[in-house]
């Protein structure tokens, strides 16, 4: 395991066929106003077939802390992030998607808050970019710039909370703590929802964090290659991801408190995918039904029913169809 260097910020960028955007991401790092902070940039080329790697290499003079890591075969965003995390040497680390970018003050603002507030991680607002339209999207926590308990911000159940704000790049993290607590790496078996599992684990297993009023990440939406625009088996990653989320919650000392939120979030995403299922190939729709039935046999029946009954009529009916007698397991 690499030793960590105080005062250094590491940025991990997973990239696959991003020649159209990678220069924007790296240029935003060249323009960072770092002050006394030192920058390390770890770009993981996930076996791109375009000019992504060549474009990254063209930034070596402009970004002295730049390192290109090449994967021999395309392995997905979780594996790419993990490959970068393995070589992180910064006291703090964060993520940047290759089609997004940071404002010039972003990294220093987050690092200084981490240091001054003595917290385990910080989260921030972001700007959603759709074509030429930009809209600030705020993290769902009104208390800003002060230490908070991450587990307290798992709730409320019936409105957005910080575990619903599932953007790992909208934050910065204390490297040593994440490593020591076993929270560092992503599950490489997941094709989607890996961010949600990772953030749930942070909220369940760390002690202090803060939310900053700093909408300084620019997030491009609706791009052709994004997961929201594809309709194949990769969409089903949310099922094993939430099976793990529910297992993490069950193992937590305050499981009874947090389980309703985990179930409601899971149920909402189930309904979202059912609406999109008409676009999925028949074999993907069938696999989704089968995998969901399997997960529903393992969850807490009374709590699940209560959560479902408190949802809107359409989603309630859909979730209750999975909760028929004999379909779901006994309470744990």
């Amino acid at each position: 395991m690499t030793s960590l260097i105080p005062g250094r910020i590491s940025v991990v960028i997973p990239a696959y066929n991003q020649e159209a955007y990678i220069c924007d991401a790296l240029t935003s790092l060249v323009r960072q106003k770092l002050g006394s902070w030192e920058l390390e940039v770890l770009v993981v080329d996930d076996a791109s077939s375009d000019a992504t790697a060549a474009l990254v290499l063209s930034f070596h003079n402009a970004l002295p802390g730049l390192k290109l890591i090449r994967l021999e075969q395309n392995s997905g965003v979780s594996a790419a992030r993990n490959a970068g995390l393995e070589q992180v040497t910064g006291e703090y680390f964060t993520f940047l998607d290759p089609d997004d970018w940071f404002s010039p003050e972003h990294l220093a603002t987050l690092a200084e808050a981490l240091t001054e507030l003595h917290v385990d991680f910080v989260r921030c607002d972001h700007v959603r970019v759709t074509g030429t339209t930009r809209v600030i999207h705020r993290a769902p926590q009104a208390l800003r710039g002060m230490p908070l308990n991450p587990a307290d911000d798992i709730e409320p159940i019936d409105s957005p909370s910080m575990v619903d704000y599932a953007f790992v790049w909208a934050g910065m993290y204390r490297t040593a703590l994440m490593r020591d607590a076993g929270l560092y790496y992503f599950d490489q078996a997941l094709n989607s929802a890996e961010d949600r599992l990772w953030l749930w684990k942070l909220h369940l297993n760390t002690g202090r964090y803060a939310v900053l009023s700093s909408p300084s990440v620019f997030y491009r939406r609706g791009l052709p290659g994004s997961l929201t625009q594809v309709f194949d088996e990769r969409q089903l990653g949310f099922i094993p991801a939430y099976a793990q989320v529910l297992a993490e919650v069950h193992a937590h000392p305050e499981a009874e408190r947090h389980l309703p939120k985990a179930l409601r979030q899971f149920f909402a995403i189930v309904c979202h995918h059912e609406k999109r299922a008409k676009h999925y190939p028949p074999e993907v729709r069938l696999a989704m039904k089968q995998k969901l039935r399997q997960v529903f046999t393992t969850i807490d029946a009374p709590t699940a029913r209560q959560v479902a009954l408190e949802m809107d009529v359409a989603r309630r009916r859909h979730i209750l169809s999975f909760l028929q007698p004999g379909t779901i397991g006994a309470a744990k």
Side-chain angles (χ1 to χ4, degrees):
M1 185 175 293
T2 55
S3 57
L4 303 181
I5 299 175
R8 176 176 289 182
I9 303 166
S10 297
V11 180
V12 175
I13 306 176
Y16 174 66
N17 287 347
Q18 290 291 327
E19 64 181 7
Y21 304 108
I22 190 67
C23 290
D24 291 345
L26 295 176
T27 297
S28 78
L29 295 176
V30 173
R31 294 174 177 171
Q32 289 298 298
K33 298 177 181 178
L34 293 168
S36 61
W37 297 96
E38 178 184 332
L39 180 61
E40 174 180 62
V41 180
L42 301 162
V43 180
V44 183
D45 177 24
D46 194 12
S48 297
S49 59
D50 65 1
T52 295
L55 291 170
V56 172
L57 291 173
S58 73
F59 277 80
H60 264 306
N61 290 335
L63 276 172
L66 177 64
K67 183 174 184 179
L68 176 63
I69 303 166
R70 299 177 188 258
L71 301 185
E72 294 184 359
Q73 61 183 21
N74 182 250
S75 303
V77 66
S78 292
R81 282 178 178 153
N82 287 348
L85 288 170
E86 286 176 358
Q87 299 192 37
V88 158
T89 62
E91 177 182 7
Y92 306 142
F93 71 94
T94 188
F95 304 100
L96 175 60
D97 282 354
D99 48 10
D100 300 337
W101 70 94
F102 293 150
S103 71
E105 300 83 10
H106 175 73
L107 292 176
T109 297
L110 270 61
E112 288 165 9
L114 259 172
T115 302
E116 293 170 6
L117 296 172
H118 304 287
V119 292
D120 304 328
F121 64 99
V122 295
R123 306 294 307 286
C124 66
D125 307 321
H126 70 275
V127 178
R128 293 187 172 182
V129 181
T130 307
T132 59
T133 302
R134 300 184 180 187
V135 178
I136 294 178
H137 188 73
R138 300 200 179 276
Q141 169 53 268
L143 299 176
R144 302 297 177 103
M146 63 181 68
L148 302 169
N149 183 340
D152 288 344
D153 285 354
I154 290 173
E155 284 70 37
I157 297 170
D158 57 355
S159 60
S161 74
M162 288 303 294
V163 292
D164 298 304
Y165 192 67
F167 311 107
V168 298
W169 36 257
M172 186 176 286
Y173 313 91
R174 193 175 293 273
T175 307
L177 173 83
M178 300 302 159
R179 284 181 173 176
D180 293 346
L183 305 173
Y184 202 44
Y185 295 107
F186 292 82
D187 186 335
Q188 296 182 188
L190 299 178
N191 294 315
S192 60
E194 72 287 336
D195 290 7
R196 290 183 177 272
L197 172 61
W198 198 80
L199 288 168
W200 264 96
K201 291 170 72 173
L202 256 62
H203 277 267
L204 288 169
N205 296 293
T206 57
R208 290 161 57 91
Y209 92 115
V211 181
L212 309 179
S213 294
S214 180
S216 48
V217 186
F218 291 79
Y219 165 45
R220 281 191 174 101
R221 300 193 70 201
L223 298 179
S226 68
L227 189 61
T228 58
Q229 305 301 309
V230 300
F231 302 97
D232 58 27
E233 68 280 353
R234 285 174 291 178
Q235 292 286 342
L236 306 188
F238 80 95
I239 303 173
Y242 271 94
Q244 290 191 56
V245 168
L246 294 172
E248 291 281 338
V249 172
H250 272 297
H252 193 267
E254 295 188 277
E256 185 176 350
R257 172 187 175 191
H258 300 312
L259 183 58
K261 178 67 177 185
L263 288 170
R264 187 182 180 97
Q265 192 183 75
F266 175 49
F267 294 167
I269 292 176
V270 169
C271 294
H272 168 75
H273 281 274
E274 286 288 341
K275 286 183 179 179
R276 289 167 52 88
K278 62 183 179 181
H279 301 294
Y280 298 169
E283 64 274 14
V284 175
R285 291 200 301 270
L286 177 61
M288 183 171 70
K289 289 285 188 183
Q290 292 173 336
K291 291 180 179 181
L292 285 173
R293 293 285 182 192
Q294 184 176 5
V295 173
F296 271 84
T297 64
T298 68
I299 62 180
D300 184 284
T303 306
R305 292 183 190 282
Q306 184 60 43
V307 169
L309 289 171
E310 293 174 1
M311 300 178 78
D312 62 79
V313 173
R315 291 193 292 179
R316 179 195 314 160
R317 288 174 178 170
H318 185 71
I319 296 303
L320 288 177
S321 73
F322 283 101
L323 302 181
Q324 300 302 319
T327 300
I328 188 167
K332 294 184 179 180

